[in-house]
Amino acid sequence: MIIKCNTCYTYSTVRGLEGTMPQAEEKQNITLRLSRETIRKARILAAQRSTSISGLLSSQIEKLANGEDEYERAMKSAMERMEQGFHLGGPHRLDRDSLHERR
């Protein structure tokens, strides 16, 4: 696979109190080498979704990247909760040594 990057600028709009104003967002172009069959399927899929192959790939890569961020946040949150421990109610009647004592 060959990946080539070029910088370009697109404009998105930001809604403020005074209406909308353009805000520059830096993006880069990339070049991919795919099989003809994959490109044919991508064209069909993009047409079904009323977008271009570039738009289709952009949205899928952004979803993938954002999903990783969400996963990392969830994992960090879960680990913090596990480190704190959970109180499931009721008094603690046995200590660790008595729980692991062989009978």
Side-chain angles (χ1 to χ4, degrees):
M1 177 187 337
I2 296 175
I3 298 178
K4 180 175 78 173
C5 296
N6 298 317
T7 303
C8 67
Y9 296 91
T10 58
Y11 289 92
S12 59
T13 58
V14 177
R15 292 187 185 267
L17 298 175
E18 302 293 323
T20 59
M21 61 185 227
Q23 180 181 7
E25 182 179 305
E26 185 178 333
K27 294 195 176 199
Q28 289 187 327
N29 290 332
I30 63 171
T31 302
L32 300 173
R33 292 179 67 100
L34 302 170
S35 70
R36 290 180 190 266
E37 182 63 18
T38 301
I39 293 170
R40 184 186 71 76
K41 290 178 180 178
R43 281 187 181 131
I44 293 169
L45 188 58
Q48 289 172 343
R49 296 184 182 188
S50 301
T51 188
S52 63
I53 293 176
S54 179
L56 181 70
L57 290 173
S58 290
S59 67
Q60 291 301 310
I61 291 171
E62 286 174 2
K63 284 179 187 176
L64 193 65
N66 291 335
E68 286 294 315
D69 291 342
E70 290 174 18
Y71 175 80
E72 288 175 13
R73 278 194 302 272
M75 179 63 82
K76 182 180 176 185
S77 174
M79 294 302 287
E80 287 171 355
R81 286 194 309 266
M82 287 176 64
E83 286 174 4
Q84 291 174 356
F86 298 99
H87 180 62
L88 301 176
H92 296 286
R93 295 190 177 138
L94 299 173
D95 61 356
R96 186 179 189 283
D97 292 332
S98 61
L99 285 174
H100 295 284
E101 184 179 285
R102 298 218 182 246
R103 295 179 186 196

